[in-house]
Amino acid sequence: MAKKGSSRHLKRYAAPRSLKLPRKSVVWTMKPSPGPHPADRAIPLRILLRDYLSIARTAREADGVINRGEVFVDGKVRRSPDFPVGFMDVVRLPALDTNYRILLDHLGRLVPVKTLSSEASFKLCKIIRKQYVRGKKIQLTLHDGRNVVGDFLDYKPGDVVKISLPEQSILERLPFEVGSIAMVTAGSNVGRVGKITEIKTIIGTQPNIVTLEDGGLTFQAPEHYIFVLGKEKPAISLQVSG
């Protein structure tokens, strides 16, 4: 059992609400290591395999699968049980011929959704920053911490890029604009998907407000909670159960 002072563990009742875990049946859970996603928005690989996917019954079994190099995240082998897996990451398990994409449910919890092999060949990443770098190139900073450099004059923060796996090259830009399909990633409408019908510019320090429509119902969210999924329809499968 982990010691109370262990920095690698925390009590389950204090675990981030983004984790879909029972709070009272077990005392301890694992902290994700520093990585591409914030600790409060990430699932450690061990927890994903044991508690979410039921591929392993114990932490030792889960760690064995990981240490043998049988788990790929975004096309790369990950051998650390505490590696953080977050929103839109693609997890591939070759031994089971199975792929998952990490999405959000209606409570804002991270959940693995089984995906087709054709969809597991790419990842969606939101642009959170754009800046010029040496050589008059443009650097894009993406939501999972990666930076890409190239001729991205038409790209802007809020857009989403489709990245090939494992090559990590940009295949397509999904623009943040009226008519695009998007998901709300936080707030009271977290997990909802709809078509963007209006982007209202707010003067001052408050964020722009985005209005979306789904099945005749409209809802709103701040601009920074919007994640574009496609131009006319989602580019990925979205079968998320509550």
Side-chain angles (χ1 to χ4, degrees):
M1 179 179 293
K3 295 183 179 180
K4 187 174 181 179
S6 174
S7 62
R8 293 184 59 193
H9 296 78
L10 75 160
K11 289 190 174 180
R12 285 205 177 197
Y13 73 80
R17 293 299 167 184
S18 60
L19 294 183
K20 192 176 180 179
L21 293 173
R23 304 282 163 169
K24 298 181 179 180
S25 59
V26 179
V27 176
W28 297 99
T29 189
M30 172 180 257
K31 284 184 179 179
S33 63
H37 300 280
D40 63 346
R41 302 280 283 181
I43 308 171
L45 268 186
R46 176 196 292 170
I47 302 301
L48 179 67
L49 265 59
R50 184 188 64 186
D51 298 84
Y52 282 75
L53 303 179
S54 300
I55 291 173
R57 294 172 297 175
T58 65
R60 178 173 293 182
E61 287 182 4
D63 291 356
V65 174
I66 297 166
N67 293 331
R68 289 194 297 270
E70 297 179 11
V71 182
F72 290 71
V73 180
D74 292 345
K76 295 183 179 180
V77 175
R78 298 298 182 182
R79 298 179 185 271
S80 300
D82 59 354
F83 181 82
V85 180
F87 183 58
M88 286 294 169
D89 283 356
V90 176
V91 179
R92 185 164 66 89
L93 305 171
L96 300 178
D97 192 25
T98 308
N99 308 284
Y100 296 89
R101 191 184 307 275
I102 307 300
L103 297 178
L104 295 167
D105 68 8
H106 69 286
L107 295 178
R109 300 173 301 189
L110 295 165
V111 289
V113 174
K114 189 174 290 187
T115 187
L116 300 173
S117 297
S118 58
E119 290 189 15
S121 64
F122 66 86
K123 178 182 181 180
L124 302 183
C125 291
K126 182 178 178 178
I127 301 171
I128 61 173
R129 189 177 302 110
K130 174 182 175 180
Q131 61 187 3
Y132 282 92
V133 294
R134 183 178 299 177
K136 297 183 179 181
K137 296 291 186 179
I138 295 175
Q139 176 177 284
L140 304 177
T141 300
L142 308 180
H143 84 276
D144 62 355
R146 79 183 72 211
N147 295 306
V148 291
V149 178
D151 298 317
F152 302 125
L153 187 61
D154 295 333
Y155 292 56
K156 63 183 186 298
D159 290 347
V160 166
V161 292
K162 185 176 179 180
I163 295 181
S164 66
L165 301 175
E167 297 83 8
Q168 314 284 323
S169 59
I170 293 182
L171 302 172
E172 184 181 0
R173 176 175 74 101
L174 305 178
F176 171 60
E177 63 185 13
V178 171
S180 292
I181 306 299
M183 173 183 282
V184 180
T185 60
S188 59
N189 288 310
V190 63
R192 296 187 70 176
V193 175
K195 177 182 288 189
I196 298 175
T197 59
E198 181 185 12
I199 302 173
K200 184 177 181 181
T201 301
I202 305 298
I203 304 300
T205 59
Q206 297 301 311
N208 295 335
I209 299 299
V210 180
T211 301
L212 303 95
E213 183 270 335
D214 177 37
L217 300 176
T218 61
F219 53 98
Q220 294 182 322
E223 182 178 37
H224 55 282
Y225 288 173
I226 301 298
F227 194 105
V228 176
L229 299 176
K231 295 177 180 178
E232 298 180 353
K233 63 180 182 179
I236 59 175
S237 299
L238 296 172
Q239 293 88 352
V240 181
S241 60

